[in-house]
Amino acid sequence: MAGELYNKPILFAVVATVVILIGTLVTMFYPMMRQEMHPKLDNLKPYTALQLAGKDIYQREGCNNCHTQTVRPLKTEVIRYGDYSKAGEFAYDRPFLWGSKRTGPDLARIGGKYPDAWHYAHHENPQSMFPKSNMPKYAFLKKAMVDPPAIEAHMKANDFPYTAADISALAGKTEMDALVAYLQSVGTAVKKKASRVVAEAGARQHEKNPLAGDAKAIALGKTLFAENCEACHGANGQGGIGPSLADDVFFGVKGDVADDDYFEVINNGIEPGMVEEGRVAKDTMPEFKALGKDKIWSLVAYIRSVQGK
Amino acid sequence: MNEYQYDHQTVKGFILSSIFWGVVGIVIGLWISIQMWNADWNIAPYFTFGRLRVVHTNGLAFGLGVGAIFGIFYYIVMRLTKRPLLFPKLARVHLWVFNAAIALAALSLFAGMNQSLEYAELEWPLDIGIVILWVMFAVNIFGTVIKRKEEQMYISLWYIIATVVAVAVLYIVNNLSIPAGLTKSYSVFAGVNSANVEWWYGHNAVGFVFTTPILAMFYYFLPKSTGLPIYSHRLSIIAFWSLIFGYLWTGAHHLVYTPLPDWIQTTAIVFTIFLIAPSWGSVVNGYYTVGSDWSKMQSQYLTKFFIWGITFYGLQTVQGPTQALRVVSSLIHYTDWVPGHVHMGTMGWVTMTTAASMYYIIPKIYNTEIYSVKAANTHFWLVLVGQLMFSVTMWITGIQQGALWKATNADGSLKYTFYETLIKNYPFWRLRTLAGVIFTVGMLFFIYNILMTIRKGSILAASKA
Ligand code: HEM
Ligand code: HEM
């Protein structure tokens, strides 16, 4: 009887289809009926017109062939990239852009990590910051203009809210503007862990740099500076995307601050609104916690040597 | 000359088209392999890594892979049903539509029209074209099988039927989207759910493009080229049904440690381990078939291709389930280990088996012998060395990357910045390009051999006429 199957192509095809559909139903269609597959974080916002245009460019350029957008819940990965990804962060991504290969770093927490100016410079010429990076140069995005009517159609297809003013505001924006706007939104629905100890002016005992003046530490600091800071603060800390570190202006206010204030900003990074010694930051700098204490103190020692202190 | 003549020309057309797209895909493979260690090889905007990589994967999966499947399936179906195709003209139109679709696909990918779904990057107008293409194919396959002149359907026909229905279901579901213009659409699935749908598709695209069709070829051409019958019919039955049953449960092993609900990941991992059994069912069947006379490995040049091909399939199907385990995944996921796995399958199993099938078919069509057995042997050894070198270097880099990403200092801080881990890959990526060149030279021997056989066959036919 079972032998019959192998003489009856139609029956065979039907049976094969049923066999194929069992796993499909259980692992693909059934989950789709469940709420857990459609989660949305409360503060996740639909993309704005400019951000969506940027996401379209991200897809067009195939950035996802080198970059993932999911942080796995593994200790070292959380240290490197930030809080692990939550299911509810991706409700507006059609489709998801998690990727499958990390030729470049994960971008799930890229939003707010760098100032806009950094992204412009990096996309234009990644090798100017990382000489051996294999990321392609995307300078052409600075010359290409976004197409407002097309973006309006894309907003409609996604059912995202927008106003006519949003669309007319797109005129004159470049594709680079759009891409950077998108990147700055990625992963921001999850609040950064508030691990900051915000130091009020004079409110606490200052910790001295244990490596202050140490020649070896200064040499190490110089190397670390070239690798991690130069792209923003210039070759000798004279300034660029980020401010000069050689002067005695800190967060735009004249007057020096203590060693451990330096440690604090390098360790935790900077975000707009952050307060240090009563001064308010306006811009963004990535955190360098991953370097560890000794290397950060070495950087502080180096910065002090540049300042001639 | 005979009733098969016209259909054989179609088969030959598909084989040559497949080879042509294979060359395009492989050249781009070499190109992106260089871009990975030297960014100066990017030519913005059309030829940057992000755009070229998908031309490589699509060109080879759909141009080389599916092109070969179309041609070789038509051939196998005619043999196993003992009749010409039911709709010969349709098959010829199918050939031209296929080439037009692949050409448009390549152009659209260069232009950046990309749905960002792995192995389903093509935008919706092309998706519709591909569905039409598949229907044309299915109609001919089913029509010819239904009107067959041989009562029993041989093993290869089971795999062919499974391929035809599964690809249709997979492709249509995963590509459902809302168009927002002629060249842009948004998936109907969003977020976590879209990830689950995509990898249900993605894994089974591998399953029903790079596995079941290749097994159909294997089960047909291994006995044909050795003259030895398949070792166990019963084993074939068990392996077939359990393979097509198991495959569809496993997509989420591509999403280990992502926000996808754990129960889906775990279910996938369990079924993934189960898949070793049906996979090795076919491997064992192949070994025992030739086991009755191992001298065929020497006397019959094609036997080598099939036996080494199934060996790489066997290795893939042990490596794959291992990769799905959470501990292993945490180390090798997102690293170069995965391209190492991929190319053992694509270069070792898929390309070797399809090339050998073409070596068998082309002389048969012309009623002659292969142009040069020696060139075929050179081809074999070069692709073998190229592939092994490719995979081994990528496994080493992959483990290194995974380990460096995880490495910490005594105080818990990370030992390496991402950039430092990147640069350490470059020596291996250079070696990979060299491996690719060796593989490519091997493929050139293959192409030369096929073209010369066709030439020889045409002259022979002309002299008889
Ligand atoms: C000269 C030979 C080849 C070279 C140099 C080559 C090179 C490459 C490179 C550099 C990548 C990107 C890896 C990455 O992003 O890290 C890749 C991916 C890929 N290649 Fe090839 N390739 C070759 C042959 C083939 C063949 C013959 C096939 C298929 C029949 C194939 C199928 C694929 C697939 C499916 C991927 C995607 C892998 C993934 O997503 O993990 N390649 N190849
Ligand atoms: C039982 C058999 C197999 C199993 C269980 C298996 C399992 C896996 C797993 C778990 C991954 C994901 C690795 C990761 O990203 O961490 C993977 C990737 C892949 N495998 Fe296999 N594999 C099998 C056989 C094959 C075969 C025969 C091929 C033929 C070419 C193949 C081609 C691929 C491709 C192309 C990918 C890359 C997908 C992507 O990320 O784009 N696999 N496989």
Side-chain angles (χ1 to χ4, degrees):
Chain A
M1 190 216 74
E4 290 277 281
L5 194 56
Y6 304 96
N7 302 336
K8 295 199 158 56
I10 304 283
L11 181 66
F12 187 94
V14 171
V15 174
T17 309
V18 170
V19 169
I20 286 165
L21 284 179
I22 298 170
T24 301
L25 286 174
V26 178
T27 65
M28 201 272 280
F29 283 119
Y30 166 66
M32 203 180 289
M33 309 297 149
R34 292 168 62 97
Q35 197 43 44
E36 63 177 345
M37 293 301 269
H38 309 281
K40 180 156 46 169
L41 292 183
D42 287 342
N43 49 353
L44 183 75
K45 290 188 213 54
Y47 292 105
T48 65
L50 189 62
Q51 288 165 353
L52 180 66
K55 181 164 150 292
D56 293 344
I57 293 162
Y58 188 90
Q59 292 185 244
R60 184 187 73 196
E61 297 309 327
C63 309
N64 54 310
N65 285 308
C66 283
H67 291 289
T68 55
Q69 285 192 21
T70 25
V71 181
R72 295 179 289 179
L74 305 172
K75 207 170 108 211
T76 46
E77 204 152 311
V78 171
I79 300 178
R80 189 181 293 282
Y81 298 117
D83 206 356
Y84 65 86
S85 293
K86 313 288 182 292
E89 292 184 67
F90 308 98
Y92 296 114
D93 290 347
R94 295 178 176 273
F96 75 116
L97 293 171
W98 295 348
S100 64
K101 178 75 207 297
R102 276 185 192 152
T103 300
D106 185 86
L107 298 181
R109 298 279 170 251
I110 196 69
K113 178 177 175 188
Y114 296 110
D116 289 354
W118 186 91
H119 286 295
Y120 282 91
H122 183 254
H123 279 113
E124 186 166 3
N125 185 358
Q127 289 71 30
S128 70
M129 296 180 175
F130 301 93
K132 290 189 188 147
S133 173
N134 63 6
M135 175 156 151
K137 296 181 174 62
Y138 289 102
F140 68 95
L141 297 176
K142 278 175 84 168
K143 293 189 216 96
M145 292 303 181
V146 297
D147 177 7
I151 299 168
E152 183 169 11
H154 296 180
M155 290 295 281
K156 278 201 185 112
N158 277 286
D159 212 4
F160 290 157
Y162 68 93
T163 62
D166 295 339
I167 302 300
S168 52
L170 293 171
K173 297 283 186 199
T174 65
E175 293 195 336
M176 186 76 96
D177 297 329
L179 182 62
V180 174
Y182 164 65
L183 289 173
Q184 294 292 29
S185 75
V186 173
T188 50
V190 170
K191 280 265 168 297
K192 276 197 186 153
K193 286 258 157 58
S195 63
R196 268 186 225 311
V197 191
V198 179
E200 294 299 333
R204 67 193 161 102
Q205 198 71 41
H206 283 295
E207 195 184 332
K208 281 243 22 116
N209 181 356
L211 300 172
D214 183 312
K216 255 172 75 192
I218 294 174
L220 174 63
K222 192 175 159 71
T223 322
L224 290 170
F225 194 86
E227 281 167 15
N228 298 294
C229 324
E230 199 179 292
C232 289
H233 289 291
N236 298 305
Q238 80 277 15
I241 293 168
S244 163
L245 301 181
D247 58 16
D248 67 346
V249 177
F250 193 97
F251 279 14
V253 180
K254 215 170 149 53
D256 204 6
V257 295
D259 281 354
D260 66 345
D261 293 323
Y262 279 86
F263 184 95
E264 234 265 318
V265 295
I266 300 169
N267 190 60
N268 291 338
I270 302 173
E271 58 192 30
M274 166 188 182
V275 182
E276 191 78 52
E277 299 292 330
R279 305 165 187 200
V280 185
K282 286 175 223 59
D283 215 334
T284 312
M285 173 173 131
E287 61 169 48
F288 289 92
K289 213 178 260 130
L291 289 176
K293 264 192 165 161
D294 289 352
K295 287 184 182 163
I296 296 178
W297 281 127
S298 304
L299 278 163
V300 176
Y302 169 71
I303 294 172
R304 289 303 192 198
S305 78
V306 172
Q307 293 171 340
K309 288 182 186 153
Chain B
M1 274 194 289
N2 64 41
E3 52 177 340
Y4 291 104
Q5 192 68 13
Y6 184 84
D7 291 333
H8 280 165
Q9 290 305 315
T10 309
V11 169
K12 188 185 85 181
F14 270 112
I15 289 178
L16 291 178
S17 309
S18 155
I19 291 176
F20 172 80
W21 295 115
V23 171
V24 173
I26 286 172
V27 168
I28 293 178
L30 287 173
W31 191 351
I32 58 173
S33 81
I34 299 173
Q35 287 177 336
M36 285 188 74
W37 49 266
N38 185 345
D40 292 340
W41 283 69
N42 287 285
I43 307 171
Y46 300 108
F47 309 110
T48 55
F49 182 89
R51 296 196 191 184
L52 288 184
R53 192 186 194 271
V54 292
V55 182
H56 172 67
T57 55
N58 282 271
L60 288 166
F62 300 120
L64 175 83
V66 174
I69 291 168
F70 285 153
I72 295 171
F73 275 16
Y74 279 148
Y75 180 85
I76 296 178
V77 165
M78 285 189 278
R79 294 277 85 75
L80 290 178
T81 57
K82 297 215 162 71
R83 56 157 298 146
L85 294 178
L86 189 60
F87 306 109
K89 291 263 160 41
L90 181 67
R92 193 60 68 84
V93 177
H94 179 215
L95 170 62
W96 293 112
V97 178
F98 164 76
N99 280 301
I102 301 292
L104 284 174
L107 292 177
S108 74
L109 292 173
F110 283 131
M113 296 162 196
N114 186 334
Q115 302 188 122
S116 309
L117 291 168
E118 257 184 279
Y119 313 116
E121 280 90 354
L122 301 177
E123 273 296 350
W124 66 273
L126 276 163
D127 288 339
I128 294 174
I130 289 186
V131 171
I132 294 171
L133 202 64
W134 202 259
V135 170
M136 292 166 94
F137 175 57
V139 164
N140 231 334
I141 295 287
F142 276 112
T144 310
V145 171
I146 289 167
K147 299 273 177 202
R148 70 194 180 286
K149 296 188 175 143
E150 167 79 43
E151 178 71 2
Q152 276 276 327
M153 294 195 297
Y154 177 69
I155 311 166
S156 297
L157 286 180
W158 315 343
Y159 281 100
I160 290 175
I161 290 173
T163 303
V164 172
V165 294
V167 170
V169 175
L170 291 161
Y171 199 83
I172 292 173
V173 173
N174 192 45
N175 278 296
L176 292 176
S177 62
I178 308 152
L182 196 59
T183 61
K184 179 79 193 162
S185 62
Y186 295 92
S187 173
V188 299
F189 310 111
V192 190
N193 188 43
S194 72
N196 196 41
V197 177
E198 155 62 20
W199 284 111
W200 161 79
Y201 166 85
H203 184 69
N204 292 293
V206 169
F208 291 90
V209 171
F210 284 156
T211 302
T212 53
I214 317 299
L215 284 170
M217 297 176 199
F218 179 78
Y219 276 111
Y220 180 79
F221 292 106
L222 180 73
K224 277 291 166 193
S225 64
T226 54
L228 303 168
I230 281 296
Y231 165 70
S232 163
H233 190 72
R234 171 168 304 196
L235 186 56
S236 310
I237 292 177
I238 298 169
F240 172 78
W241 290 107
S242 49
L243 186 84
I244 69 163
F245 173 74
Y247 240 100
L248 282 294
W249 293 75
T250 58
H253 65 212
H254 290 265
L255 296 169
V256 176
Y257 282 124
T258 67
L260 187 76
D262 267 343
W263 71 267
I264 304 179
Q265 296 182 28
T266 307
T267 311
I269 295 170
V270 171
F271 274 87
T272 300
I273 294 161
F274 160 78
L275 267 188
I276 299 180
S279 306
W280 272 78
S282 292
V283 178
V284 167
N285 224 345
Y287 283 161
Y288 276 81
T289 298
V290 179
S292 63
D293 182 5
W294 279 113
S295 72
K296 295 280 183 201
M297 285 290 275
Q298 256 121 46
S299 61
Q300 255 297 334
Y301 77 101
L302 283 182
T303 314
K304 269 200 306 298
F305 282 90
F306 291 117
I307 289 300
W308 277 88
I310 201 77
T311 302
F312 288 123
Y313 174 68
L315 292 174
Q316 280 293 94
T317 55
V318 173
Q319 191 181 55
T322 316
Q323 286 167 186
L325 302 174
R326 282 196 171 86
V327 270
V328 181
S329 177
S330 75
L331 181 69
I332 57 90
H333 192 40
Y334 303 134
T335 72
D336 278 85
W337 172 282
V338 181
H341 166 74
V342 171
H343 288 85
M344 176 164 68
T346 53
M347 292 170 138
W349 157 239
V350 176
T351 315
M352 231 183 226
T353 308
T354 44
S357 307
M358 292 174 184
Y359 271 146
Y360 180 88
I361 293 174
I362 292 290
K364 274 279 185 284
I365 289 181
Y366 285 101
N367 228 332
T368 177
E369 293 299 317
I370 190 77
Y371 170 72
S372 163
V373 172
K374 215 166 145 193
N377 284 330
T378 313
H379 156 209
F380 172 82
W381 290 110
L382 286 172
V383 296
L384 181 72
V385 170
Q387 178 257 308
L388 283 174
M389 192 170 151
F390 190 130
S391 298
V392 172
T393 49
M394 288 307 99
W395 294 329
I396 298 172
T397 346
I399 293 174
Q400 176 188 277
Q401 264 169 315
L404 296 182
W405 290 346
K406 276 174 184 274
T408 51
N409 296 309
D411 66 352
S413 59
L414 296 176
K415 213 165 187 158
Y416 302 97
T417 63
F418 189 89
Y419 183 59
E420 286 168 326
T421 68
L422 169 75
I423 289 172
K424 288 200 164 64
N425 298 326
Y426 287 175
F428 297 97
W429 285 345
R430 287 202 175 85
L431 275 178
R432 188 244 309 265
T433 302
L434 178 64
V437 169
I438 297 172
F439 177 85
T440 308
V441 174
M443 291 305 280
L444 290 177
F445 272 90
F446 163 67
I447 296 167
Y448 176 74
N449 213 354
I450 290 285
L451 294 180
M452 291 308 282
T453 307
I454 291 178
R455 210 175 98 118
K456 182 174 136 188
S458 313
I459 294 171
L460 204 72
S463 72
K464 273 190 199 149

